[in-house]
Amino acid sequence: MSKFRIAVHITPRKGLLDPQGNAVRDALRTLGFNSVKDVHVGRYIIVETDAYDALTAEDAVSDMCAKLLANPVTEDFEIESAVPA
Amino acid sequence: MSKFRIAVHITPRKGLLDPQGNAVRDALRTLGFNSVKDVHVGRYIIVETDAYDALTAEDAVSDMCAKLLANPVTEDFEIESAVPA
Amino acid sequence: MKFGIVTFPGSNCDYDAFQAVTDILGEEATYLWHKDHDLQGSDVIILPGGFSYGDYLRAGAIARFSPIMREVAAHAKAGGPVLGICNGFQIACEAGLLPGALMRNSHLQFVSAEVRVRVENSDTMFTNLYDRGEILRMPVAHGDGRYVAPPGVLEELEAEGRVVFRYADADGGINADANPNGSERNIAGIISEAGNVLGMMPHPERACSPLLGSNDGVRLLESILARVAA
Amino acid sequence: MSDVKPRAGDPVITPALIAEHGLTKLEYERLVGMLGRSPTFTELGIVSALWSEHCSYKHSRPILKTLPTTAPYVLQGPGENAGVISIGDGLAVAFKIESHNHPSAVEPYQGAATGVGGILRDVFTMGARPIAMLNSLRFGSLDDSRVRYLFSGVVKGIGDYGNCVGIPTVAGEIVFDPAYANNPLVNAMCVGLLHEEDLIRAKAEGVGNPIMAVGARTGRDGIHGASFASEDLSDASGAKRPRIQVGDPFTEKLLLEASLELIKSGHIVAIQDMGAAGLTSSSAEMAERGDVGVTIDVTRVPTRESGMSPYEILLSESQERMLVVAKKGREDAVRDILTRWDLTAAVIGEVIAEPVYRVTEGDRVVAEFPGSRLVTDCPSYSPEARESSAIADLRAADPFSIAERAEERDPAWTLEQLLSAPTIASKAWAYRQYDSTVRTNTVIGPGGDAAVLRIRGTNKAIAVKTDCNGRYVYLDPRVGGRIAVAEAARNVACTGARPMAITNCLNFGNPTRPEVFFQLKEAVAGMGEACRALGTPVTGGNVSLYNESPSGAVYPTPVIGMVGLIDDLSHITRATFQKDGDTILLLGELGGELGGSEYLATIHGKVIGAPPRCDVERERALIDALLGAIRAGVVSSAHDCSDGGLAVALAECCIANPEHESGADIDLSSHSALQDRAILFGESQGRVVVSSPAPERVLAIAAKAGVPCAQIGRVALESDTLAIKLPKRSLRSPLSRLRRAYHETIPKIMARTPEHSTFDELAPVAAH
Ligand SMILES: Nc1ncnc2c1ncn2[C@@H]1O[C@H](COP(=O)(O)OP(=O)(O)O)[C@@H](O)[C@H]1O
Ligand SMILES: [Mg+2]
């Protein structure tokens, strides 16, 4: 067993209203960043877990996303490659 | 001008209590993911902006982070390379 | 004396602050629109509670860039009193009028309850009508009320008597059970270095009538009156 | 009439498509008859939404007509966005309850949040400023992790939305029963305050007046939510998830302020929330009420996504939107107000003289219906109603035939079991997440019998509460319907308020099943009887049918939202014991019934017997006596007996307020004709526990009103025990144990699952 670090990106599902992203976009424009077209705000989760190898670690995290970390109704998730921690 | 997409990771500053990370870690263990050692929860922000080139876009986003997107007292941020959107 | 109460988009305790000032204190109050640049001659500024800009991103993060905040900062710099309540406290921290930050409650839930706070410093322009060590009852209602500050800053606040209120139990004990949000050192309210900006999570403006459970907040407003009028 | 032709790219109308739209063959024929031709895809969508149960009330309209709706103080009865009653001093109260059951079953956080948003809009479109939120929730057993996930998600959704908008959530009820396992009920109620002269109705008027879309932009959210709400929940519902809308309470707050400013400005003639079936139902209903025609151009509707079809724009259920009929020439003034609040307003149509409902896409007509027949011609059904014989058998069973368990020899054990039943235990875990004090009017918040809000500028207050015991309605719908109203009235009266009027939310199963339709008919009949006797007309409500899952229908649950008026602040009365040495009295009869009780359900796992009798005239007398005593100033506290009976009521009087506990000594030993357990835990109706410093005055007032009343004990502030002498035994419970049972149960259960409260938008567990 070795320790791995896996990063997960969770973003609001496309097409669903993203009030948080909209508020940040508008705020940035008010601050003078007029070229900002769009903003999406999601979650960034880092999981440190023991596993036999990177693949097993990634599989486990994918399972965690489906079960807990992401809300399948409103969110999409993306898992980065595991790195030794 | 072209459109770029820049991802930003904002994480709770090390050493600060991360109750959300701890709660997720405990929850994952309750669900049977016993090998999970630690979890950190941060924000993932995607900015889509117009800029002359990738570098200018990244600079602008770095400025956005310093001004608004991250709280310097409690958070660290990291900007990924701009990709054409 | 005139109180200016800032209405940010999403403020929802501006009305309560207005009522407390006009109805209970019998003083003049005016709403200040976030897009304006005019304090309308206000002597005291209240940054009220609520969810400015929905508290999206971070509580208070967007509101601090509202046009009116430039004048509020100038007013504070000139020694004018500023009272930040709940979301107003969060905005004041984000704006750098007060040190530290307010993070998600440690239990991760919104908390609406009556709490007790102990008066730690009764020698401020906001607390001069209280006794030091006195226990006050006030409502809290927030999701992001956990006060944090870098270690050095905490020591400095303590040393300078700038921790004004601390969550306490009925007997004045400072302990985890009395702490509704996990704030460091049970801190419920702090004051700026110059002593003219107070930020607090509990709602004094909701504690202004025995009919509603407590009028312990009245003397906070009266303290300002006493000091500024003097 | 215009020439309406199918739009390029629209699906062809087939029997399968018609079925998918929830229309029966007969309904489709009715539509063709009305149009005199085949409908376009857009028209099919419109009709599917408007003729859905949710919008058309096709199975409930004739039944609802039997309810009383008038009183001199009713300014607006059913038919508008919310009911309105006058409370004197030129002031009025607008209130309404609504369900969001199906969305919450699929996505509890957003489902509940958008339910709160919708009911808020219903109230502020009447010109009222919302002053309080309530809710009524039903879930399965908390032992189930999926139920805990639903419960925590719904509570967080309600809290986050109401807290952000800044309206206090002050009262409600939460019941846990396996009957709701796969079909939770989430009903939200809003109460608003207005000056009578600001009352505005959603009635399109004035030919040539522009119709404007105001607030958030339209996206592809929740298309066909209304018809979704009119189907059974099956496993296939999971596939419908993209329909779920996302709420934005921040925009709602801006919309609230902007709308109230708009109404005051005099620039508009009507305003209505775009709720279920969105633009379609709001525009059609406004036209029908005003008996005018309308035309709408979908290309002028501000959208969030590009390429939306007329069908999608018309049926979108994007939140935080309003439809406004402005006065001609005031368009810019309207826009200015919205702009000040960072919101958009766009002219999208016009009121026309020609009696048609017309939708265009630019110049092309994509839908057109004659007159207001779209609304008025919708079908109406009275299917067969027949009681299920299985339920009749349950009712006939004798609860006293059930033997006591060995542990029951100590009644303190039974009492603690009941206090820790999640349905009875303190709901502070939930309502601590609701801001209940914002707006500084909350005199009594969650935790009392009803919530009390003072009315500024007067010496008055209003009391509000939601109530229903679905188990009673299940066992006997007529009696259960009566009890729901009577209990709500009693709760309001316990705070010192005269019950004034109700709103209601009828949560039932599939009405095409005879036993469900029977329940609906009977329950509404019972409600009507109680409303007439108590003088509390119905000013509005909501019907939610098809609350079924593969495991069956929910208990029939007609939730009552009651509003009462207190005309002197000094009459406000609390539920818990206040003063040492006060005499404790029981207003009403001891009763001794056990049928349908929480005792049978919790201790014996049985749902049997006839629910308690409910004599509505006696309920009326009880309320008169109670209010008489309160107004005479001789009542220190008043708390009604409901779930768990007299023993639970007494325990709550002792420990419900953790800041002020007191013991009590009670003597009921003279009632030897009754079983001890029936005395303690029977749920006979029409009873209130009162504490008083002047018991003889209470007795005299009760006698005059013809209400039985007896002294049963004394408040013992310093005692740390609730002691009750019974004919055969006695009960002694240390307050510390009662406190633990009552206050710690739900927090402990919810602590088992930290995963459920982790994120803002909750993550579900592995139940899907
Ligand atoms: N969902 C809820 N939201 C707010 N308050 C609630 C909720 N559920 C229960 N409460 C409060 O808890 C108290 C007890 O509720 P309930 O058991 O329904 O009382 P009763 O039996 O007298 O009808 C009431 O004050 C009620 O307002
Ligand atoms: Mg009650």
Side-chain angles (χ1 to χ4, degrees):
Chain A
M1 293 285 256
S2 19
K3 199 163 153 197
F4 293 94
R5 215 180 126 87
I6 300 112
V8 182
H9 294 133
I10 294 167
T11 44
R13 177 155 289 181
K14 272 223 172 58
L16 284 186
L17 183 69
D18 177 10
Q20 184 157 211
N22 294 348
V24 175
R25 177 197 59 208
D26 295 346
L28 287 172
R29 288 193 189 148
T30 310
L31 280 179
F33 297 104
N34 299 312
S35 317
V36 171
K37 293 291 153 226
D38 216 348
V39 176
H40 302 283
V41 180
R43 281 196 303 272
Y44 174 59
I45 302 180
I46 298 166
V47 180
E48 294 180 6
T49 185
D50 282 346
Y52 287 105
D53 53 31
L55 218 67
T56 327
E58 286 163 21
D59 278 354
V61 171
S62 154
D63 203 17
M64 293 174 202
C65 285
K67 285 204 171 116
L68 175 78
L69 302 179
N71 182 339
V73 184
T74 55
E75 298 174 323
D76 292 318
F77 63 85
E78 228 179 66
I79 298 171
E80 292 192 9
S81 311
V83 296
Chain B
M1 293 286 255
S2 18
K3 200 163 150 198
F4 293 93
R5 214 180 127 87
I6 300 109
V8 182
H9 293 132
I10 294 170
T11 44
R13 180 152 289 178
K14 276 229 166 51
L16 279 179
L17 186 67
D18 178 10
Q20 236 194 100
N22 295 345
V24 175
R25 180 196 58 209
D26 296 345
L28 286 172
R29 290 190 187 152
T30 311
L31 282 179
F33 297 103
N34 300 311
S35 317
V36 171
K37 294 291 155 224
D38 216 348
V39 176
H40 302 282
V41 179
R43 252 191 291 273
Y44 177 59
I45 302 182
I46 298 167
V47 180
E48 292 179 6
T49 187
D50 282 346
Y52 286 106
D53 53 29
L55 218 68
T56 328
E58 287 164 19
D59 278 356
V61 171
S62 156
D63 203 18
M64 293 174 203
C65 284
K67 281 213 174 97
L68 174 72
L69 301 180
N71 182 338
V73 181
T74 54
E75 298 172 324
D76 293 317
F77 64 86
E78 224 179 70
I79 299 172
E80 290 191 10
S81 312
V83 295
Chain C
M1 187 157 54
K2 190 166 174 182
F3 286 70
I5 298 156
V6 181
T7 300
F8 298 99
S11 293
N12 60 37
C13 305
D14 45 346
Y15 168 81
D16 296 340
F18 189 96
Q19 292 297 328
V21 169
T22 54
D23 240 37
I24 308 293
L25 207 60
E27 293 295 316
E28 191 186 351
T30 180
Y31 291 115
L32 304 175
W33 187 240
H34 67 110
K35 287 180 191 166
D36 289 345
H37 274 294
D38 182 2
L39 299 186
Q40 297 177 33
S42 304
D43 305 290
V44 182
I45 301 298
I46 297 182
L47 303 177
F51 286 74
S52 55
Y53 293 93
D55 272 1
Y56 294 136
L57 191 64
R58 288 186 314 277
I62 300 179
R64 74 129 158 154
F65 291 108
S66 289
I68 193 93
M69 286 304 290
R70 218 171 60 204
E71 280 64 38
V72 171
H75 171 84
K77 194 148 182 250
V82 177
L83 170 59
I85 303 167
C86 197
N87 196 225
F89 186 12
Q90 295 160 340
I91 296 169
C93 287
E94 285 279 344
L97 297 176
L98 290 169
L102 293 145
M103 301 187 70
R104 172 70 53 89
N105 296 345
S106 56
H107 47 74
L108 304 175
Q109 285 181 347
F110 190 94
V111 57
S112 164
E114 185 182 84
V115 299
R116 292 187 168 82
V117 295
R118 193 174 76 187
V119 179
E120 301 292 280
N121 182 348
S122 57
D123 191 21
T124 77
M125 74 160 67
F126 304 94
T127 55
N128 54 71
L129 296 179
Y130 296 120
D131 292 326
R132 178 149 185 234
E134 195 180 340
I135 309 295
L136 314 177
R137 287 184 304 126
M138 289 179 194
V140 290
H142 59 248
D144 301 82
R146 176 166 53 103
Y147 183 75
V148 300
V153 173
L154 281 177
E155 300 307 335
E156 198 179 299
L157 288 173
E158 298 280 9
E160 294 170 3
R162 288 166 54 195
V163 174
V164 176
F165 298 116
R166 243 186 265 274
Y167 301 109
D169 62 26
D171 307 318
I174 306 295
N175 50 54
D177 283 346
N179 189 339
N181 51 32
S183 283
E184 290 189 27
R185 303 178 189 212
N186 281 41
I187 289 174
I190 58 166
I191 203 165
S192 63
E193 200 174 350
N196 63 318
V197 180
L198 171 68
M200 61 193 297
M201 289 313 293
H203 286 275
E205 84 285 14
R206 296 190 196 179
C208 286
S209 155
L211 182 67
L212 305 186
S214 167
N215 61 351
D216 287 345
V218 176
R219 276 177 295 155
L220 191 146
L221 296 173
E222 287 173 346
S223 292
I224 309 176
L225 206 58
R227 188 59 63 91
V228 175
Chain D
M1 302 295 295
S2 332
D3 186 21
V4 187
K5 288 221 188 74
R7 207 174 151 264
D10 276 354
V12 186
I13 312 266
T14 62
L17 191 72
I18 294 165
E20 221 173 277
H21 279 74
L23 289 186
T24 64
K25 204 161 154 273
L26 282 175
E27 285 171 344
Y28 182 74
E29 281 164 14
R30 190 186 186 101
L31 167 62
V32 171
M34 180 170 116
L35 293 173
R37 59 176 165 79
S38 302
T40 63
F41 177 59
T42 309
E43 287 168 338
L44 180 65
I46 291 174
V47 163
S48 145
L50 285 177
W51 290 4
S52 70
E53 191 67 48
H54 192 82
C55 292
S56 75
Y57 293 86
K58 57 190 168 190
H59 283 97
S60 57
R61 227 175 323 135
I63 298 178
L64 294 175
K65 285 241 160 63
T66 66
L67 291 168
T69 59
T70 55
Y73 48 81
V74 173
L75 303 180
Q76 177 63 57
E80 269 288 341
N81 288 319
V84 183
I85 60 171
S86 165
I87 57 166
D89 298 311
L91 294 171
V93 169
F95 60 104
K96 174 87 186 295
I97 191 167
E98 197 151 270
S99 68
H100 237 209
N101 304 338
H102 285 60
S104 305
V106 175
E107 220 304 292
Y109 179 86
Q110 295 294 349
T114 52
V116 171
I119 196 64
L120 268 164
R121 290 192 293 282
D122 274 342
V123 163
F124 68 73
T125 52
M126 302 302 294
R129 178 171 282 281
I131 57 169
M133 297 294 311
L134 297 87
N135 54 73
S136 175
L137 313 177
R138 299 289 183 285
F139 301 97
S141 160
L142 272 184
D143 293 332
D144 177 347
S145 73
R146 169 81 189 166
V147 169
R148 292 196 296 272
Y149 159 67
L150 290 173
F151 174 45
S152 61
V154 163
V155 166
K156 195 163 169 52
I158 289 172
D160 283 1
Y161 204 100
N163 297 345
C164 183
V165 180
I167 312 302
T169 301
V170 297
E173 51 159 6
I174 310 176
V175 171
F176 302 94
D177 191 294
Y180 304 99
N182 294 308
N183 198 127
L185 303 184
V186 176
N187 296 176
M189 172 171 166
C190 179
V191 182
L193 184 67
L194 67 155
H195 289 281
E196 281 185 25
E197 73 265 18
D198 291 335
L199 177 57
I200 180 167
R201 294 182 171 84
K203 197 168 144 186
E205 275 172 343
V207 171
N209 277 338
I211 297 175
M212 301 179 79
V214 155
R217 291 172 171 272
T218 299
R220 289 190 172 92
D221 319 305
I223 290 169
H224 270 319
S227 23
F228 177 37
S230 312
E231 292 163 13
D232 296 356
L233 271 187
S234 65
D235 292 337
S237 305
K240 295 181 171 159
R241 278 172 172 171
R243 292 176 170 180
I244 296 304
Q245 316 94 311
V246 172
D248 178 3
F250 169 58
T251 297
E252 179 96 341
K253 166 70 175 167
L254 304 181
L255 190 60
L256 157 64
E257 298 300 338
S259 298
L260 291 179
E261 211 175 305
L262 213 50
I263 291 166
K264 273 229 178 288
S265 74
H267 297 318
I268 66 171
V269 300
I271 178 166
Q272 162 142 353
D273 149 45
M274 292 196 221
L279 178 53
T280 290
S281 83
S282 51
S283 55
E285 285 173 15
M286 282 223 269
E288 188 266 329
R289 288 198 200 99
D291 202 14
V292 294
V294 297
T295 174
I296 284 174
D297 179 356
V298 292
T299 63
R300 298 167 78 182
V301 176
T303 55
R304 201 171 76 224
E305 300 164 66
S306 56
M308 287 182 70
S309 69
Y311 179 99
E312 290 173 319
I313 291 172
L314 285 163
L315 295 178
S316 159
E317 294 190 355
S318 288
Q319 300 290 295
E320 294 93 23
R321 299 178 303 157
M322 291 283 191
L323 193 67
V324 166
V325 179
K327 291 182 181 159
K328 195 169 175 57
R330 308 276 185 91
E331 295 85 344
D332 287 339
V334 169
R335 232 176 258 122
D336 285 348
I337 290 176
L338 273 298
T339 307
R340 181 176 139 85
W341 290 101
D342 298 326
L343 295 170
T344 57
V347 174
I348 62 165
E350 196 183 325
V351 178
I352 55 176
E354 191 185 348
V356 294
Y357 178 82
R358 178 181 299 144
V359 180
T360 66
E361 183 180 21
D363 295 336
R364 173 222 297 265
V365 178
V366 294
E368 188 172 280
F369 297 88
S372 48
R373 288 178 59 188
L374 190 50
V375 177
T376 54
D377 273 22
C378 77
S380 173
Y381 300 115
S382 282
E384 187 193 351
R386 184 170 16 87
E387 175 162 45
S388 142
S389 59
I391 298 178
D393 290 347
L394 289 179
R395 181 173 61 239
D398 176 14
F400 291 102
S401 69
I402 293 173
E404 286 194 357
R405 290 168 57 166
E407 300 95 322
E408 290 183 61
R409 234 164 291 150
D410 178 9
W413 175 86
T414 320
L415 176 57
E416 282 168 34
Q417 293 296 306
L418 284 174
L419 285 175
S420 59
T423 292
I424 291 181
S426 166
K427 308 301 186 301
W429 183 88
Y431 62 66
R432 269 175 75 94
Q433 300 182 54
Y434 307 151
D435 188 343
S436 55
T437 52
V438 63
R439 298 200 66 73
T440 48
N441 296 317
T442 311
V443 182
I444 299 181
D449 274 311
V452 175
L453 299 136
R454 67 160 167 192
I455 303 297
R456 268 179 211 279
T458 73
N459 197 33
K460 294 176 179 167
I462 57 167
V464 288
K465 182 68 169 79
T466 53
D467 267 303
C468 178
N469 185 319
R471 195 188 294 133
Y472 297 165
V473 188
Y474 173 71
L475 288 168
D476 186 334
R478 173 78 63 127
V479 173
R482 265 185 236 146
I483 292 178
V485 176
E487 186 184 350
R490 223 182 296 133
N491 274 319
V492 158
C494 281
T495 64
R498 161 68 60 195
M500 296 282 282
I502 70 163
T503 179
N504 71 95
C505 192
L506 302 174
N507 305 274
F508 284 74
N510 180 340
T512 63
R513 295 202 295 125
E515 60 268 34
V516 171
F517 200 67
F518 172 83
Q519 292 171 331
L520 182 63
K521 239 172 128 164
E522 286 292 300
V524 171
M527 284 165 51
E529 290 165 8
C531 286
R532 273 183 281 269
L534 299 175
T536 53
V538 178
T539 64
N542 176 241
V543 179
S544 170
L545 303 179
Y546 302 94
N547 288 291
E548 305 212 357
S549 65
S551 52
V554 298
Y555 283 156
T557 311
V559 173
I560 305 301
M562 177 74 69
V563 176
L565 182 63
I566 299 172
D567 21 55
D568 187 328
L569 294 175
S570 69
H571 296 158
I572 296 173
T573 304
R574 290 174 190 273
T576 50
F577 293 141
Q578 304 288 315
K579 280 204 290 304
D580 190 34
D582 272 357
T583 298
I584 301 169
L585 302 101
L586 180 66
L587 261 181
E589 266 173 25
L590 208 45
E593 295 155 289
L594 264 191
S597 61
E598 187 67 31
Y599 161 82
L600 288 180
T602 298
I603 307 294
H604 297 284
K606 292 264 191 294
V607 176
I608 60 161
R613 285 177 309 258
C614 179
D615 178 332
V616 290
E617 292 305 329
R618 296 175 84 136
E619 294 282 353
R620 166 97 204 195
L622 173 88
I623 288 171
D624 288 343
L626 176 60
L627 290 178
I630 287 175
R631 289 173 183 160
V634 294
V635 173
S636 305
S637 74
H639 182 36
D640 78 313
C641 296
S642 59
D643 297 346
L646 178 58
V648 164
L650 287 166
E652 287 172 344
C653 291
C654 291
I655 51 109
N657 178 1
E659 294 269 318
H660 186 89
E661 290 185 348
S662 57
D665 285 319
I666 307 291
D667 188 348
L668 298 165
S669 59
S670 63
H671 299 270
S672 50
L674 300 175
Q675 287 193 11
D676 285 358
R677 58 176 174 167
I679 294 175
L680 290 173
F681 309 117
E683 296 178 5
S684 291
Q685 295 297 298
R687 300 185 300 166
V688 173
V689 173
V690 163
S691 67
S692 169
E696 60 303 329
R697 301 268 316 273
V698 178
L699 288 167
I701 290 168
K704 212 167 147 211
V707 175
C709 182
Q711 303 192 28
I712 59 169
R714 203 178 55 84
V715 177
L717 188 66
E718 298 304 328
S719 156
D720 53 5
T721 308
L722 168 63
I724 306 178
K725 277 210 202 79
L726 298 159
K728 299 193 187 58
R729 304 168 177 144
S730 57
L731 176 155
R732 285 188 67 82
S733 277
L735 298 187
S736 60
R737 301 193 51 153
L738 299 179
R739 180 194 314 142
R740 208 171 310 135
Y742 186 73
H743 291 290
E744 293 179 15
T745 298
I746 292 181
K748 262 206 199 108
I749 296 175
M750 295 314 288
R752 290 217 296 265
T753 48
E755 68 263 35
H756 301 294
S757 50
T758 306
F759 288 126
D760 294 355
E761 289 83 26
L762 288 135
V765 274
H768 46 272

